[in-house]
Amino acid sequence: MTGHAENGDEGRRRGRRSRAFKAAGLALAGALVLGAAAAGWAYWHLNSNIKSVDINNALGDDRPPKAVTTPTPSGTVSASPLPTGSLNILVLGSDSRSGKENQALGGGDSEGARSDTAMVVHLDAGRTKATVVSIPRDTLVTRPSCPLPSGGSTSVAYNSMFNNAYSVGGPVCAVKTVESITDVRMDHYIEIDFAGFARLVDALGGVTVTTDEDIDDEDSHLKLEAGTHDLDGAQALALARTRHGIGDGSDLGRIGLQHKLVKALLEQISATNLLSDPAKLYRVADAVTGSLTTDTGLDSLTELIRLGESLRGLPTDGVTTVTMPVLPAPSDRNRVVADEPEARELWASLR
């Protein structure tokens, strides 16, 4: 009887362990399914955030030539499938007032937008160095004829402010105007608006910036004493838009502050181990993609990740920020024109 009882107890214990293992297995399987579903939803959400414009199709072949990349020698296998060739990307900060967030951050009416910030980002072959060239929005240029989404095209405009190109013809005209004045092919286009920039800074936990002088700008509503400051998203955006509270109040002073912000953002991203904090990584990705417009070559999360991974060898101190050489316009001292031949030589170095 005892043996039977012991066998019975052991059998019941094995049964309970079997049911426990089965329950644990089902729970694990359920967690994996839910995790995969959540990851799938997150990818779909981030991917669907991205808006795009088919710039290549709109502009056709009447453009500067693409940069020639050195092909991999025949019979060899590249150590990395990631792209390593040189690349030129037009990055615009749009002062769109559409949506409550943008209106709260920027004010003004909600009709249309301008390219408040314009930077040509040149990645050297090998992608271990980069040059960021700012184009002052007050630069007088010859704006070429641009195709319009509704059909037809704009007229050529002489002595037009650079940032009017975006107002008149959107991203397509902005790219065509940049290519016209630089003779450099823009391989990609990236645009982020007010709210997206502020959310990105907040998602990263803010940025640390050192200012060389006191700032008191009634337009951007930013007041800072000279020194080092930890800025949240709204403050960082105000700094990017500040021009009247520093120097001579020109756009060149604002560009100097924007260059400080670029370096501060790169340093913050470099110092933040996003891969160890999935929740923070998602917030950053959502902030970036939620207010992003790209060309169709970068309009998927896969392509953006691929671009980001190709920059893993780019150190913060490998990024140089400069401004297109300009001088006061003879026709209007409140505007500037390209300073030649220095401007032409700068653009030639990026081809």
Side-chain angles (χ1 to χ4, degrees), residues 55-321:
I55 292 173
N56 286 339
N57 184 57
L59 294 184
D61 297 326
D62 186 19
R63 306 175 66 185
K66 292 183 179 180
V68 177
T69 57
T70 303
T72 302
S74 178
T76 64
V77 178
S78 173
S80 170
L82 295 172
T84 58
S86 64
L87 206 64
N88 289 300
I89 306 172
L90 177 60
V91 178
L92 291 189
S94 165
D95 69 348
S96 170
R97 266 66 170 183
S98 61
K100 291 182 179 180
E101 276 187 279
N102 281 321
Q103 289 181 36
L105 289 166
D109 61 53
S110 59
E111 296 181 5
R114 294 165 298 180
S115 53
D116 197 59
T117 301
M119 298 179 178
V120 173
V121 178
H122 173 78
L123 303 174
D124 287 3
R127 305 198 182 178
T128 58
K129 292 183 180 180
T131 303
V132 179
V133 184
S134 291
I135 302 176
R137 70 176 192 173
D138 294 340
T139 305
L140 297 181
V141 301
T142 297
R143 189 183 72 228
S145 174
C146 300
L148 295 171
S150 57
S153 59
T154 67
S155 300
V156 175
Y158 301 94
N159 290 319
S160 175
M161 274 180 57
F162 168 74
N163 71 333
N164 285 342
Y166 184 93
S167 302
V168 169
V172 170
C173 197
V175 169
K176 185 161 187 177
T177 300
V178 169
E179 292 185 342
S180 174
I181 65 178
T182 66
D183 197 28
V184 175
R185 172 76 168 239
M186 295 297 109
D187 300 294
H188 290 299
Y189 172 84
I190 295 176
E191 175 191 331
I192 188 166
D193 67 18
F194 276 0
F197 177 79
R199 283 203 304 270
L200 171 60
V201 172
D202 283 335
L204 287 169
V207 292
T208 301
V209 176
T210 299
T211 58
D212 302 322
E213 58 183 294
D214 294 344
I215 296 175
D216 187 359
D217 192 330
E218 293 182 358
D219 290 341
S220 68
H221 310 295
L222 182 67
K223 293 185 68 173
L224 290 176
E225 293 182 354
T228 301
H229 304 274
D230 294 323
L231 307 180
D232 63 18
Q235 291 170 317
L237 178 61
L239 185 69
R241 298 179 60 233
T242 290
R243 65 182 291 179
H244 299 297
I246 56 167
D248 60 1
S250 73
D251 197 38
L252 300 182
R254 171 177 28 207
I255 287 174
L257 294 177
Q258 291 173 350
H259 288 171
K260 287 180 180 291
L261 272 175
V262 168
K263 289 294 185 71
L265 271 175
L266 291 175
E267 289 171 359
Q268 183 65 17
I269 291 171
S270 178
T272 305
N273 188 359
L274 295 175
L275 294 180
S276 67
D277 189 343
K280 190 169 190 176
L281 174 61
Y282 177 80
R283 289 195 298 272
V284 170
D286 194 35
V288 171
T289 60
S291 299
L292 203 65
T293 300
T294 72
D295 66 283
T296 49
L298 284 180
D299 63 352
S300 73
L301 196 58
T302 299
E303 288 302 326
L304 288 175
I305 291 173
R306 184 173 168 82
L307 173 62
E309 289 181 339
S310 77
L311 303 179
R312 285 179 298 186
L314 176 64
T316 302
D317 59 8
V319 179
T320 301
T321 55

